[in-house]
Amino acid sequence: MLNRIIRIMATAAACALLLAGCSIRLDDPTLNHQMIPEGAIGFSAGSASLLDDALPTKSGSDLQSAFAVNDNFYVYGAKVVSGTRYTVFNGQSVGLTSLGADASDPADDVWEYSPLRFWDSNATQYDFVAISGPATSAGISSDPAATGHLRASVTFDATSSPCDILAAGYQRTDGSIAPVNLEFNHILSAVRVTIINDSPSINVTVNSYGFRNICYRATGTVEQSGRGLSTMGTSDWGTPSYTSSTILGHTASPGTVLAKGEEFAMTADKWDLMVPQDLAPYGDYIPQLMLDYEYDQENPYTAELEHNHLVFPIRLEEITVKNSNDLITSWLPGKKYSYEIHIRLGGGINVNVAVTDWKEVLAETPGLTIDDE
């Protein structure tokens, strides 16, 4: 289990109930909750820490602290009857259609999926995997009826409408028909860069930073284990695609001028979402952090002002943890990496990184807790 987990406290899910040929919505305030079909398999979520920005799909960088109407997750599920596994859910979308009468109380939130599935009293085991974040289930694959622990694979591309991906697993063997409580884990890495001018008297113009020779696309496999997920590492991300181009990061035109002691970073909650990966060279690819900056400095011999423009490659595997000699040799699932680049003209470039679990975000809706394990 990843160190940071998002607990989704489930209440009964809802869908359309067909009575006498008419469709009745369970968010109808006149509908008694006792009319919800007894025995229906239920899913819901009070809130979650998702990433969102101006891209067309949930993507990019700004932290969003709660589920909103039209958010959803995709569920895969199987049951075991007389020793045989059967598919129950295969990418079913479960969506939030209404916050209910009290927007601050998740107990009356309306989550829907259709058609309803019902608990089977003959089943001795149920397994579930759920994935939240992608706009569609097109990049997710699973075979719920396969033997062994339930697995699902999801493809992530950091350069094409990236989204924060969370996953959850669950198993039930006690015959209960209570709603399924899912614990969602972040399965990506997040990277942020801050650039600081330590030069005593010279302004530095930062034009851009980015990443070169990194894995930008891969497929991660999550596996249900007990009432959660198996711990994920970089080896759980396969079929990698690398690029020699400089990608992600930030480009400013014109560049950002930093006086002594000033720093540059994207807005506070901006992060680059990354495929978890080892940072050692991969064939001809040497993962690097690329820094493009320039400055004017007087030549000590000619007294003429000279313009300097540098594009500086920094090998990612050679960057240490802040206040430590430990090297960061990989980006792990569920971790955030805050890189600090200190520019001191005449004294070179110094880079270090702070590593944290996905930071706590207070939910706007009760029912969400983020725990340290």
Side-chain angles (χ1 to χ4, degrees):
M1 185 72 64
L2 297 178
N3 289 342
R4 290 282 184 186
I5 60 177
I6 293 184
R7 295 191 183 281
I8 306 296
M9 313 304 266
T11 56
C15 183
L17 175 63
L18 296 177
L19 293 176
C22 298
S23 176
I24 301 179
R25 291 177 54 86
L26 295 181
D27 57 345
D28 185 339
T30 65
L31 183 63
N32 190 302
H33 284 289
Q34 294 179 352
M35 295 180 65
I36 296 175
E38 183 177 358
I41 299 175
F43 306 91
S44 70
S47 55
S49 173
L50 300 175
L51 296 182
D52 198 1
D53 68 5
L55 294 175
T57 59
K58 279 194 179 66
S59 55
S61 48
D62 294 333
L63 285 173
Q64 176 182 304
S65 61
F67 272 128
V69 172
N70 296 324
D71 282 341
N72 71 316
F73 57 84
Y74 303 98
V75 65
Y76 301 81
K79 64 182 180 180
V80 178
V81 179
S82 300
T84 302
R85 289 175 64 95
Y86 299 92
T87 296
V88 180
F89 294 96
N90 194 8
Q92 175 67 57
S93 176
V94 180
L96 178 60
T97 59
S98 172
L99 294 178
D102 184 352
S104 65
D105 182 3
D108 65 350
D109 287 353
V110 179
W111 290 83
E112 295 186 307
Y113 73 92
S114 179
L116 288 172
R117 279 71 148 186
F118 291 81
W119 297 102
D120 185 344
S121 61
N122 296 313
T124 56
Q125 178 176 309
Y126 275 87
D127 297 294
F128 301 93
V129 164
I131 293 177
S132 178
T136 73
S137 62
I140 306 171
S141 62
S142 178
D143 182 4
T147 58
H149 290 168
L150 181 57
R151 297 178 177 86
S153 296
V154 56
T155 298
F156 172 76
D157 189 323
T159 63
S160 177
S161 296
C163 59
D164 185 15
I165 302 178
L166 301 96
Y170 187 85
Q171 184 178 85
R172 178 167 293 176
T173 58
D174 60 5
S176 170
I177 61 172
V180 174
N181 296 331
L182 297 172
E183 296 180 346
F184 278 86
N185 301 288
H186 291 276
I187 66 172
L188 299 176
S189 305
V191 176
R192 175 176 169 82
V193 174
T194 300
I195 302 165
I196 302 167
N197 179 15
D198 285 342
S199 300
S201 60
I202 299 175
N203 292 347
V204 173
T205 299
V206 176
N207 297 316
S208 68
Y209 74 85
F211 301 88
R212 185 169 69 183
N213 295 329
I214 66 168
C215 174
Y216 70 94
R217 188 177 192 274
T219 299
T221 299
V222 298
E223 178 180 302
Q224 169 273 324
S225 178
R227 290 199 171 191
L229 290 178
S230 296
T231 300
M232 289 186 70
T234 57
S235 62
D236 294 296
W237 289 84
T239 60
S241 297
Y242 282 75
T243 177
S244 58
S245 300
T246 299
I247 60 172
L248 302 175
H250 182 76
T251 299
S253 181
T256 300
V257 178
L258 303 180
K260 176 186 176 181
E262 290 185 338
E263 65 180 48
F264 164 81
M266 290 190 290
T267 55
D269 290 323
K270 289 277 189 180
W271 294 81
D272 281 322
L273 296 172
M274 298 290 194
V275 174
Q277 60 190 279
D278 294 325
L279 299 176
Y282 180 82
D284 293 331
Y285 296 101
I286 302 175
Q288 296 171 329
L289 172 55
M290 303 296 297
L291 176 62
D292 183 323
Y293 67 99
E294 53 191 299
Y295 61 94
D296 293 323
Q297 187 174 33
E298 185 180 278
N299 187 308
Y301 301 103
T302 65
E304 293 181 354
L305 196 64
E306 296 180 344
H307 183 72
N308 300 273
H309 186 178
L310 293 85
V311 179
F312 197 84
I314 307 164
R315 289 180 62 149
L316 286 167
E317 64 168 339
E318 296 179 351
I319 299 174
T320 59
V321 177
K322 190 173 184 178
N323 301 322
S324 167
N325 292 322
D326 296 333
L327 297 171
I328 295 296
T329 58
S330 60
W331 289 332
L332 297 174
K335 298 289 185 182
K336 301 176 88 169
Y337 298 86
S338 301
Y339 287 83
E340 288 184 5
I341 302 177
H342 293 261
I343 301 175
R344 184 177 177 85
L345 303 181
I349 300 289
N350 180 47
V351 187
N352 58 54
V353 58
V355 184
T356 62
D357 296 316
W358 220 274
K359 75 175 181 181
E360 182 174 345
V361 178
L362 298 178
E364 296 175 354
T365 307
L368 168 67
T369 58
I370 302 179
D371 299 334
D372 288 321
E373 288 290 305

